[in-house]
Amino acid sequence: MSRRVSSEETLACRRSMAEGLADLRPGARVVVACSGGADSLALVAAAVWVGGRAELAVSAVVVDHALQSNSHEVADAAASTCDLLGAPASVVRVDVGTEGGPEAAARDARYEALRRAADESGAEAVLLGHTREDQAETVLLRLARGSGARSLGAMAPRTGLWRRPFLHLARSTVRASAEDALAAIGRQAWDDPHNEDPMFARVRVRQALAEIEQALGSGVIAGLARSADLLRDDADALEAIGDEAHRRIVSTSGSQISSDCSDLAGLAAAIRSRVIRSMIIEAGAPGEDVGIDHVRSVEALVSQWHGQGPVSLPGGVIAERSCGRLSVHSSSPRLEKQ
C-alpha cells in the first residue's frame, strides 16, 4: 500500500479518531469544524475514514470570520477540499464582535456558529482539531495569568458537544497525516497569515514556547500537556468534594444562600473557595464574571472577619456576614421574582 494510506501518522490519527467516536451508535451525525488548515483537514480525513467504517454521518462546517479580504475564497476552497475528502461541507459566515479582544470574539462567534450547525443537523458531536501543542500553549498562557487547577486543566478531550480527538497527538503527526490525505486529492492546506502575527496572544505564546523548548528540551510540550491532564483530574476531584460540602452546609431560603461561618472555616481553603464560588453563582452572579478576587473578598468575611461591610459581586449579587452566617443574595430580590 502507498504511504499516503498506511503512514504511521495517518494510522495514529485514525486510531485517535476511532477512540474519540467509539461511543456513537451507527447513524449518528458528526460535524467537523474545518478552517482549511492542515490540522482541521487531517481531522476531516480521519473522521471520514472512521465514520465510513462505523456508519456515522460525517459532514464539515467551515466558518468564515470575514476578518481577511479573501476570507470567502479561503472558506469556499476549504469546503471544496472537505467535499473531495468525503465530507459534505457548508460555509457559515459570522460577524465577529469585539468583546474580550479579537481572539476571544472570533472564538465565541465560531463556537456559536458550530453549535447552531450541530443543532440544525442533529449532530451528536462537533470535532475540533486541537493538538498537543495547542494544549501546551493554552497551559502556558493560563499559567502566565495566574490560573487555578481548573483553568490550567485547559482543554478536555470531550466537553459536552465538543470533542478533540487529536489533543494528545503531536502537531507534526497531525500535519504529516494531512499531507498524506491532501496528496491523494491534489490539494494543499491553507496557511493562515494570522498564525504568524504577533498581534495575537496565541502567536506570542507559541513563539515563547518554542524558545522554552529550545532552552529546556523537547519534552516541554508533552510535559505541559501532561500537567493539564493531571490538573484536570485534580480539579474534578476537588469540585466533587466541594459539591458534597455545599450540599451539607449551605442552605437556601428564597433568594438567600447562606452558611454558618464556622462550618466554612472548617473546610480546607481549596474546598472553601469552591463552596463560596458556587454560592455566589447560585445567588445569580454570571459564572464567567466571577473571578478569584471576588471569591477572596467573600472568603475574607469568613477567615479574616473584623466587622467589614457587604461585598458587591457581579450580577448585582451581595455577600455579607451577620450573626455568624455568610449570606449571599441578589441586591434586587423583587426584580428577580418577576
Side-chain angles (χ1 to χ4, degrees):
M1 299 178 70
S2 71
R3 185 182 185 281
R4 287 197 301 269
V5 175
S6 59
S7 73
E8 286 299 317
E9 296 90 349
T10 291
L11 292 175
C13 287
R14 290 174 177 176
R15 284 193 297 268
S16 292
M17 182 64 68
E19 292 171 3
L21 302 180
D23 64 306
L24 298 181
R25 69 189 188 286
R29 295 185 177 278
V30 176
V31 168
V32 185
C34 184
S35 66
D39 297 348
S40 63
L41 288 172
L43 191 72
V44 171
V48 168
W49 193 89
V50 171
R53 285 149 183 78
E55 300 180 29
L56 305 176
V58 177
S59 61
V61 172
V62 180
V63 178
D64 178 4
H65 299 85
L67 296 176
Q68 300 176 43
S69 60
N70 66 335
S71 66
H72 65 287
E73 297 173 0
V74 171
D76 289 343
S80 173
T81 302
C82 290
D83 289 336
L84 289 173
L85 289 171
S90 59
V91 176
V92 179
R93 181 168 178 143
V94 297
D95 293 321
V96 177
T98 58
E99 185 174 353
E103 290 172 283
R107 182 178 60 249
D108 290 345
R110 179 169 61 254
Y111 274 60
E112 179 56 33
L114 292 168
R115 184 181 292 107
R116 188 166 56 250
D119 289 342
E120 292 172 354
S121 65
E124 296 184 28
V126 175
L127 308 186
L128 306 173
H130 297 112
T131 66
R132 187 171 65 188
E133 278 78 1
D134 294 310
Q135 183 77 307
E137 290 160 11
T138 300
V139 174
L140 187 60
L141 182 61
R142 294 181 179 181
L143 184 63
R145 293 172 177 170
S147 302
R150 171 56 66 199
S151 185
L152 289 175
M155 297 177 285
R158 184 183 304 182
T159 308
L161 184 66
W162 315 107
R163 302 192 184 198
R164 301 175 176 87
F166 294 167
L167 194 59
H168 293 119
L169 293 179
R171 184 176 287 152
S172 59
T173 296
V174 174
R175 294 190 173 178
S177 179
E179 290 179 6
D180 287 345
L182 295 174
I185 60 173
R187 290 293 183 97
Q188 291 184 329
W190 175 60
D191 288 324
D192 185 352
H194 282 174
N195 288 335
E196 303 298 329
D197 188 344
M199 178 185 81
F200 299 103
R202 175 70 67 172
V203 174
R204 298 195 299 274
V205 169
R206 184 169 301 165
Q207 294 169 344
L209 184 57
E211 294 177 5
I212 294 172
E213 186 178 26
Q214 185 176 10
L216 299 182
S218 59
V220 168
I221 290 173
L224 287 169
R226 185 166 56 250
S227 292
D229 291 339
L230 295 170
L231 285 164
R232 193 163 53 251
D233 289 343
D234 289 350
D236 288 343
L238 288 169
E239 287 175 10
I241 297 171
D243 289 344
E244 190 281 327
H246 186 283
R247 289 191 294 270
R248 179 166 47 85
I249 69 173
V250 176
S251 60
T252 302
S253 178
S255 61
Q256 183 165 281
I257 318 298
S258 67
S259 179
D260 191 284
C261 288
S262 62
D263 289 336
L264 286 167
L267 299 175
I271 306 304
R272 181 165 62 247
S273 65
R274 283 167 168 78
V275 172
I276 289 174
R277 186 175 191 277
S278 66
M279 292 173 68
I280 294 170
I281 294 171
E282 187 177 346
E288 63 273 15
D289 294 338
V290 179
I292 185 61
D293 289 341
H294 298 119
V295 174
R296 285 176 173 168
S297 294
V298 177
E299 200 270 345
L301 297 176
V302 175
S303 62
Q304 301 174 45
W305 174 245
H306 50 78
Q308 59 266 46
V311 175
S312 296
L313 300 162
V317 170
I318 299 294
E320 56 188 335
R321 174 169 174 158
S322 178
C323 300
R325 290 188 70 82
L326 176 69
S327 173
V328 188
H329 55 86
S330 170
S331 61
S332 305
R334 283 177 293 182
L335 291 176
E336 183 182 329
K337 294 177 182 179
Q338 290 180 355

